[in-house]
Amino acid sequence: MYVVTLLCAPAEGRLESALVENLRNAWGGGEAQWLSVEEAAEFRVPTMPTNFWQVWESLQSSGIDLVIQETKNRKKKMLLADMDSTMIRQECIDELAAEAGVGERVADITARAMNGELDFEGALTERVGLLKGLDESVIPHVLETRITFMPGGHELVATMKANGGYAALVSGGFTAFTGRVAEAIGFDENRANTLIAEDGKLTGEVGRPILGREAKVQALEEITAKLGIEEADVIAVGDGANDLGMLGRAGTGVALHAKPSVQAQCDVRINHGDLTALLFIQGYARSEFTS
């Protein structure tokens, strides 16, 4: 048995009941349940529709995300999340680079690395090298003036924790940012890379070992073992190529507003909804959200 979820971003439009009913009838689904009026609905189907991806594609132009999953074990016990362009809207290293006067060069490397065109570790080393000499005080300045949270993040973490879940922030970015972001949103723990500074200035080096794709998978393994849960009990979310390992291993891996090459390798893709989409696809109604 499968469950189909349709959702949209209220700012982009509304989910029409006629669309939900037409799709439910076409796929022989059960009665539709509204998780949020005009925003999210779900229904169950006995088998995977053969034209699922064609329908998914057709709905994208209408600002509607479509997800199908097995009904078993939908509500997860753990959230494993990327930070940059996932829990926050920005890429922290790009914002630091903008302050250092090398923003365009670094942003280009970041985009290529996140799309899987460059080796992550090499790309990170190169970008951090361009920050050499930057005053360490720029970090809190960037946090205060340039970093904004992705909508729905507080509700996602608070709701999962209110229902017994655990939340871990695992980033290829930097601890100077993940510590503040994790505390503000309510994560139980965070892991990231360390920027090295001497005499108040960045040295252009990053602490070893570098946390990249494999380290995110390692975090998944270590934290689930610590909690005594299975990888199937985890919902993971990210947007870049270095997230693919954890997205593929988690019970539900969500590509959120992700790079095309990342979307192509993920079965759950959210391009229009915000982070509350991760609650809807677990079956939570908006009335059950904790803020």
Side-chain angles (χ1 to χ4, degrees), residues 6-12 39-40 60 62-67 85-86 89 150-153 237 254-258 269-281 286:
L6 296 97
L7 56 97
C8 71
E12 294 185 25
E39 183 182 12
Q60 287 295 293
S62 300
I64 296 171
D65 289 313
L66 180 67
V67 175
S85 299
T86 300
R89 293 180 180 272
M150 192 72 76
V237 60
V254 182
L256 181 80
H257 302 177
R269 309 168 188 175
I270 300 297
N271 289 330
H272 303 286
D274 61 24
L275 284 163
T276 60
L278 275 70
L279 293 173
F280 288 134
I281 66 175
R286 182 165 284 281

Side-chain angles (χ1 to χ4, degrees), residues 89-133:
R89 293 180 180 272
Q90 297 77 23
E91 295 282 336
C92 288
I93 194 166
D94 292 0
E95 303 304 321
L96 288 174
E99 294 286 341
V102 289
E104 187 173 334
R105 183 175 175 186
V106 167
D108 176 67
I109 299 171
T110 299
R112 292 166 61 199
M114 292 302 97
N115 202 38
E117 299 171 27
L118 301 174
D119 170 69
F120 178 81
E121 183 168 332
L124 182 66
T125 301
E126 180 180 0
R127 287 175 291 165
V128 172
L130 294 170
L131 302 179
K132 183 177 181 179

Side-chain angles (χ1 to χ4, degrees), residues 3-17:
V3 60
V4 176
T5 308
L6 296 97
L7 56 97
C8 71
E12 294 185 25
R14 62 180 186 175
L15 184 61
E16 300 283 354
S17 59

Side-chain angles (χ1 to χ4, degrees), residues 114-213:
M114 292 302 97
N115 202 38
E117 299 171 27
L118 301 174
D119 170 69
F120 178 81
E121 183 168 332
L124 182 66
T125 301
E126 180 180 0
R127 287 175 291 165
V128 172
L130 294 170
L131 302 179
K132 183 177 181 179
L134 187 65
D135 198 299
E136 196 175 12
S137 66
V138 169
I139 293 173
H141 172 72
V142 167
L143 275 162
E144 294 298 328
T145 63
R146 290 178 172 268
I147 302 304
T148 56
F149 297 116
M150 192 72 76
H154 289 87
E155 291 90 341
L156 170 61
V157 172
T159 302
M160 289 194 66
K161 289 179 67 174
N163 286 273
Y166 188 88
L169 185 66
V170 183
S171 172
F174 310 113
T175 54
F177 290 90
T178 59
R180 286 279 298 275
V181 171
E183 181 181 8
I185 298 178
F187 280 90
D188 294 293
E189 69 173 272
N190 69 93
R191 302 185 182 192
N193 293 301
T194 303
L195 284 171
I196 298 176
E198 291 180 1
D199 300 323
K201 295 187 181 297
L202 299 184
T203 64
E205 299 176 326
V206 62
R208 306 289 170 147
I210 288 177
L211 192 155
R213 175 171 174 158

